[in-house]
Amino acid sequence: MNTQRVSGKRSFRQFISSVALFALPALAVAVAVPGEQAPAFSEVDAKGETRGLEDYKGQWLVLEWFNKDCPYVKKHYGSGNMQALQKKYTDQDINWLTVISSAKGKQGYLEPAQALEVAESHKLAASAPFLLDTDGSMGRAYGAKTTPHMFIINPEGQVVYAGAIDDNDSANPAVIPNSKNYVAAAFDAALKGEQVAVASSRAYGCSVKY
Amino acid sequence: MSNTSVHRTLFPLLFLLLVGVFTGWSTLSSAQETATGDHVKVRWLAPDTFGPGEETIGFYFEVDPGWHVYWRNAGDSGAAPRFDFVGASGKVGEIQWPFPVRLPIEHLTNLGYEGDVAYLFTVTPEAERMELVVNLEWLVCKVDCIPGFGAMSLSRPVADQVVWPDGDKALRDRFAAQVPVVVRGDTGFPWSVRSVTAEAGGDSLQLVLEASEGDSAATPAVFPLDGNLLTAKAPQIAQSGSTIGYTFQRVPGAPLPDSTGFVISDGTRSWQLEQLDIQAAATAAPSLVDGGQPLWLLVLAAIAGGAILNLMPCVFPVLSIKLFGLVGPEKHAGERLHEGLRYAAGVLVTFAALGALLLVLRAGGAAIGWGFQLQSAPVVLGLILLFWVMALSFSGLYEFGHHLMNLAGNSRGGAFVTGVLAVFVVAPCTGPFMGAALGAATLLPAYGAMAIFLGLGIGLALPFVLLCVFPALLNRLPAPGPWMETLRQFLAFPLYATVIWLLWVLGRLVGESGWLIGAMLMLTIVFAFWLGRHGFRGSRWLAWGLVLAALVLSFGAANKLQHSGAAGAALAQESSDWQPYDRSAINQALSREQGVFIDYTAAWCITCQVNKKLVLESQEVEALFRENDVYLVRADWTDQNPEITRALGELGRNSVPVYAWYAPGETTPVLLPQILKADMIEALFDSK
């Protein structure tokens, strides 16, 4: 009789744990949602330094997803639009991290040394050399779907904006001057303590190559 | 147009001037009738000669195999093509988009077109020649994306009659037929919108459609127009009768607008619903039940389904235990009643727990199906152990039997535990009525879903309770006597059979070692009992130690094997005619107009196995499939497979068996009944 009890309890526990396994994918969907706490991350940058969300506690932080071969990234880097934004905000002591979530063997993947070269050639003006999220853990935690995909995190660690860089999903750089930049608009409002009008948008671009 | 003649001579000149002045492109000299880019060729679908009136023409995109271009809402990534008319000698209407397909690309879903597509628009000539100059931009993707740019011009005479080049009109018509009809008033829209609901702070949005003619079996595909609000991921579909619910995932943090729109396609035709008001979820949810199928009817169906479960082979061993306890000596009517009620309580509490679990997981967004507890190797191993021990006791091998009888027959917990057990083993025997009831449960608001679950429980417990309430029925049973010992021993055999079946399930779950692990555990248990009965010093401790070690080892091994994916090897050994489930292979078969038959099955599903042996793998049926060149797919849901769970969800089901038949050239399946007969398969080909 006791045997049965033991196995009963055991299988029950196993059952619960298998249920937890079922539920996991659902939990994994938890992504960066405007108005909620930003997911934690800890990644090594191209110089080998580890950078995590906690390092930016009490500060503004922009996350940008990058893939050097993506035409939409080229649109914003070739035109100098992205670097100008980076410079504009890093000059105001706002942190900017550019993340590469391409897996090894996939488009856009860079070894640390290559990443430093690309940062140089692209005139990257972020707060750190590229973060190398080779296993995609950070990208998945944030639900980064495209390159570029932008997130703004406020000093309280909450997501203020998630989505596209602007409102024009053309690959043509010529449209940039007439596009509404969501990141700039969000900062304009948020830094004044106002409500961000567009806190979320459909991120356009190439898929992140996990 | 009274001054037509002046108009017709002047306008082309003016037009050329305008184009020359305003376009950044080097105008007509460089603009051509075609445009090309990597993996894409674009040409006009236009008449050789325009007529005086409105004409629908198009940009015909020929895209390399495997590559795709986009719909107006491109989905999770990508971008819709752009057509920038920089000059036109006439009126140009809005772009018309044929309905798209969902293109799962790695972790994302895009909305667009594979192969060729034509983006259409209407033009009305207002000059002697129809002149158009357009700047194009498009994005073509496989996994990587390549943008393309081009300029195209068109210059055709306008006469009294339209003259189309051979073939192009048919091509134009083909895509025109795929452009959604905007639903305003009576447009032959075969569904009506019951509700569009969303919680203010939630992460989903629910669209409920109702079929006008109750019998439309096909579930239409629904595409959101607003990519800023909803992700392109296929919605979870739940169907109950003529009501179909679609649950879309919202773009995280996107504010909820007052209204939104969808395109709905049955695979050949499509409709566009614009500006449907979004209601707050709380107020709208109950209406889901009121108008469609009343909840009481669904609950009645659930009760009927539950009662039928009693007749299924899986429940028999459990019921036999209880029956045995009831007909035992020294039983009073009152006790029997209590017994019956305790059993019912066990059943109901378990169903309630499963219902709650479903609701929790549903809220968490996990697609899940009935029978999922048997997808876990440790749970299967636990059941093997339980039934093995019971079977041994029934055979009278050891004294334990009396304890078990006491447990199952006398103690308060016993009847309750039997009830719990009954629910667990009944899972593989999804009866014919249960599919619909459970499908409804995934769609209904929480209380309705719970009512369905409890209905199933009531149905399962009812015959047993009736037997207890009306002792007259029991009195008809023979008086207790030596025959009971015979009966008890006989009843061990269904238990042995169950053990064998569960061992096989375990083998399917974790591969060849499954049966070995199970059998070793069984051997150890028997040996431990033998040790325990021998009175030499320390044998009891040794027995317990052995049992404990065996449990830890076997459960650990089963768990580990399952997660290391050993099952793949076992599943790969299917007969060669049947292909494993692969969405893109199925889509390819569909696109080359091959018939496709999908058998959604699982090792733990007895109905599935019976159908497979008696029908699907019978010689006649196999020959029939071969003659008709049917692409056979065995979607094995034994193990946890989210792809198959999703596919089942799209069919409005969350349990197996499901048999889906795509006739050649059809993209919407016919679902066959859960209990298959060979003539049903024959009928599929007779109608051709």
Side-chain angles (χ1 to χ4, degrees):
Chain A
M1 196 164 83
N2 282 335
T3 321
Q4 192 189 335
R5 280 223 187 112
V6 169
S7 78
K9 260 187 206 163
R10 207 179 161 83
S11 66
F12 180 72
R13 208 174 297 147
Q14 297 283 357
F15 173 61
I16 292 299
S17 65
S18 67
V19 164
L21 273 174
F22 266 103
L24 265 181
L27 296 175
V29 177
V31 295
V33 179
E36 293 179 13
Q37 286 301 120
F41 64 86
S42 175
E43 296 294 340
V44 176
D45 70 21
K47 279 194 179 140
E49 199 171 319
T50 303
R51 297 180 184 272
L53 184 63
E54 287 181 4
D55 303 337
Y56 300 96
K57 227 180 214 169
Q59 301 169 52
W60 287 91
L61 175 63
V62 181
L63 299 176
E64 171 215 342
W65 261 262
F66 178 92
N67 169 355
K68 75 172 170 56
D69 296 318
C70 166
Y72 291 89
V73 172
K74 288 181 182 167
K75 167 190 170 186
H76 290 287
Y77 274 88
S79 61
N81 182 42
M82 189 68 86
Q83 299 94 320
L85 269 187
Q86 290 166 347
K87 187 158 178 352
K88 177 179 172 189
Y89 293 111
T90 49
D91 282 353
Q92 300 174 43
D93 289 333
I94 289 169
N95 301 284
W96 186 299
L97 296 178
T98 304
V99 187
I100 302 176
S101 287
S102 296
K104 194 164 188 168
K106 295 279 184 79
Q107 189 199 58
Y109 170 82
L110 296 174
E111 293 287 341
Q114 296 170 313
L116 288 175
E117 280 169 32
V118 171
E120 180 83 38
S121 65
H122 280 62
K123 301 198 165 52
L124 185 76
S127 312
F130 293 109
L131 291 202
L132 304 177
D133 174 34
T134 322
D135 64 357
S137 58
M138 179 178 178
R140 288 199 172 89
Y142 275 77
K145 288 182 170 176
T146 62
T147 47
H149 197 161
M150 312 297 299
F151 297 87
I152 301 177
I153 300 166
N154 71 13
E156 288 77 46
Q158 290 156 343
V159 179
V160 170
Y161 174 77
I165 178 168
D166 61 27
D167 67 347
N168 195 325
D169 68 0
S170 167
N172 188 350
V175 304
I176 291 174
N178 296 321
S179 306
K180 187 189 170 208
N181 193 297
Y182 288 137
V183 174
F187 267 123
D188 286 348
L191 292 177
K192 277 187 238 155
E194 290 168 9
Q195 184 80 23
V196 173
V198 180
S200 132
S201 63
R202 181 187 83 95
Y204 68 84
C206 318
S207 60
V208 177
K209 306 293 186 284
Y210 290 116
Chain B
M1 293 249 267
S2 52
N3 54 347
T4 335
S5 57
V6 183
H7 212 109
R8 284 198 172 171
T9 45
L10 266 180
F11 201 93
L13 282 172
L14 245 169
F15 170 75
L16 281 176
L17 248 166
L18 271 173
V19 164
V21 171
F22 288 111
T23 61
W25 306 89
S26 50
T27 73
L28 293 176
S29 56
S30 77
Q32 299 165 340
E33 294 229 334
T34 59
T36 51
D38 289 345
H39 308 288
V40 176
K41 273 192 299 214
V42 192
R43 67 178 176 87
W44 291 101
L45 290 184
D48 285 339
T49 308
F50 278 82
E54 188 179 272
E55 187 67 41
T56 299
I57 64 174
F59 295 96
Y60 182 56
F61 278 63
E62 289 170 278
V63 181
D64 282 355
W67 292 76
H68 61 269
V69 288
Y70 292 93
W71 188 49
R72 53 186 291 185
N73 168 14
D76 291 338
S77 64
R82 288 152 181 262
F83 306 95
D84 181 14
F85 286 84
V86 289
S89 63
K91 277 195 215 125
V92 179
E94 289 286 300
I95 185 92
Q96 296 166 23
W97 310 83
F99 68 82
V101 293
R102 283 200 165 77
L103 300 160
I105 309 294
E106 301 195 323
H107 58 294
L108 302 181
T109 305
N110 286 150
L111 301 175
Y113 315 93
E114 263 177 343
D116 57 344
V117 66
Y119 301 94
L120 305 176
F121 51 95
T122 52
V123 291
T124 317
E126 289 176 348
E128 266 181 357
R129 288 188 75 82
M130 187 69 227
E131 312 266 8
L132 290 170
V133 177
V134 186
N135 288 334
L136 282 77
E137 181 189 336
W138 65 82
L139 184 70
V140 62
C141 300
K142 193 173 196 172
V143 173
D144 300 344
C145 294
I146 306 171
F149 301 91
M152 278 168 68
S153 65
L154 182 80
S155 175
R156 298 285 155 81
V158 177
D160 296 338
Q161 284 287 320
V162 191
V163 184
W164 275 86
D166 287 346
D168 278 10
K169 185 163 192 296
L171 212 51
R172 193 274 319 256
D173 290 345
R174 189 178 121 207
F175 290 104
Q178 293 174 15
V179 172
V181 178
V182 176
V183 177
R184 285 193 200 97
D186 185 29
T187 43
F189 181 52
W191 293 275
S192 58
V193 179
R194 286 281 301 286
S195 61
V196 181
T197 54
E199 280 175 67
D203 54 7
S204 65
L205 180 140
Q206 201 177 47
L207 167 73
V208 180
L209 296 181
E210 180 156 338
S212 313
E213 306 111 41
D215 61 343
S216 87
T219 311
V222 180
F223 307 98
L225 289 176
D226 186 355
N228 281 323
L229 176 65
L230 301 176
T231 69
K233 194 178 153 199
Q236 275 187 52
I237 299 179
Q239 195 160 9
S240 108
S242 57
T243 312
I244 318 163
Y246 297 82
T247 305
F248 292 90
Q249 217 177 61
R250 271 156 63 182
V251 172
L256 208 54
D258 294 336
S259 63
T260 191
F262 298 94
V263 161
I264 294 173
S265 157
D266 65 0
T268 46
R269 295 169 304 164
S270 63
W271 295 266
Q272 185 162 327
L273 299 164
E274 288 170 343
Q275 303 202 323
L276 300 173
D277 287 340
I278 301 175
Q279 299 153 287
T283 55
S287 74
L288 209 72
V289 184
D290 298 341
Q293 283 186 11
L295 184 60
W296 63 267
L297 201 65
L298 289 172
V299 172
L300 266 190
I303 292 176
I308 285 171
L309 288 177
N310 282 290
L311 305 176
M312 295 286 157
C314 350
V315 201
F316 187 65
V318 177
L319 277 192
S320 67
I321 303 166
K322 266 332 285 171
L323 200 64
F324 189 69
L326 272 179
V327 299
E330 78 273 344
K331 282 279 176 186
H332 303 297
E335 267 184 64
R336 283 183 194 132
L337 179 59
H338 280 131
E339 201 74 338
L341 290 180
R342 269 185 231 120
Y343 170 80
V347 170
L348 288 179
V349 165
T350 315
F351 263 105
L354 287 176
L357 190 66
L358 176 96
L359 288 175
V360 167
L361 292 175
R362 186 177 78 172
I368 197 152
W370 180 240
F372 55 84
Q373 67 272 37
L374 286 184
Q375 291 174 341
S376 157
V379 171
V380 172
L381 195 60
L383 287 174
I384 289 176
L385 183 66
L386 193 57
F387 284 117
W388 178 241
V389 169
M390 279 187 187
L392 293 179
S393 89
F394 271 41
S395 295
L397 195 77
Y398 57 93
E399 296 298 303
F400 187 79
H402 290 292
H403 294 294
L404 186 74
M405 279 307 101
N406 284 341
L407 184 77
N410 292 326
S411 79
R412 270 158 206 279
F416 186 85
V417 167
T418 315
V420 174
L421 207 58
V423 182
F424 269 81
V425 290
V426 87
C429 296
T430 310
F433 294 112
M434 265 184 65
L438 282 168
T442 57
L443 165 68
L444 290 168
Y447 71 86
M450 196 49 103
I452 300 274
F453 266 86
L454 292 179
L456 284 169
I458 290 170
L460 180 61
L462 202 60
F464 197 79
V465 174
L466 281 180
L467 212 63
C468 298
V469 175
F470 299 106
L473 291 174
L474 268 179
N475 288 343
R476 293 222 179 149
L477 296 171
W483 64 269
M484 287 179 57
E485 183 61 24
T486 317
L487 178 64
R488 192 182 73 164
Q489 285 174 13
F490 171 76
L491 287 180
F493 291 99
L495 286 173
Y496 288 124
T498 311
V499 168
I500 292 169
W501 163 63
L502 285 170
L503 274 174
W504 179 69
V505 172
L506 190 66
R508 300 283 306 208
L509 279 173
V510 302
E512 273 189 349
S513 350
W515 69 266
L516 189 66
I517 295 170
M520 288 306 286
L521 179 65
M522 286 157 62
L523 180 71
T524 318
I525 297 297
V526 179
F527 183 64
F529 279 128
W530 178 83
L531 267 182
R533 276 209 307 199
H534 275 263
F536 63 81
R537 241 158 52 91
S539 65
R540 277 180 172 262
W541 288 110
L542 197 59
W544 279 116
L546 260 179
V547 167
L548 208 66
L551 286 175
V552 170
L553 282 176
S554 57
F555 276 93
N559 202 20
K560 198 173 162 196
L561 275 173
Q562 186 171 29
H563 293 134
S564 65
L571 299 181
Q573 293 167 357
E574 276 292 345
S575 74
S576 57
D577 278 354
W578 291 83
Q579 306 299 323
Y581 184 85
D582 175 353
R583 185 173 280 252
S584 61
I586 292 169
N587 284 338
Q588 277 169 22
L590 289 176
S591 64
R592 62 174 179 262
E593 307 212 333
Q594 193 180 4
V596 174
F597 188 92
I598 308 182
D599 170 18
Y600 292 92
T601 183
W604 39 260
C605 159
I606 290 194
T607 318
C608 306
Q609 302 311 324
V610 170
N611 284 335
K612 180 170 136 186
K613 286 293 164 237
L614 293 187
V615 181
L616 292 179
E617 292 187 353
S618 69
Q619 283 189 344
E620 310 89 79
V621 170
E622 286 206 321
L624 211 54
F625 279 144
R626 224 170 292 134
E627 276 166 32
N628 290 283
D629 186 31
V630 176
Y631 187 73
L632 299 172
V633 179
R634 179 149 289 146
D636 195 316
W637 203 44
T638 305
D639 207 344
Q640 308 153 12
N641 184 328
E643 269 286 294
I644 294 174
T645 309
R646 182 162 73 106
L648 280 170
E650 284 169 8
L651 297 171
R653 296 296 179 85
N654 64 354
S655 63
V656 286
V658 171
Y659 301 101
W661 161 246
Y662 299 79
E666 295 286 330
T667 49
T668 39
V670 175
L671 298 186
L672 302 185
Q674 293 191 325
I675 294 173
L676 273 186
K677 295 207 191 82
D679 53 7
M680 293 172 188
I681 308 280
E682 283 161 25
L684 295 178
F685 302 106
D686 288 348
S687 60
K688 282 277 111 184

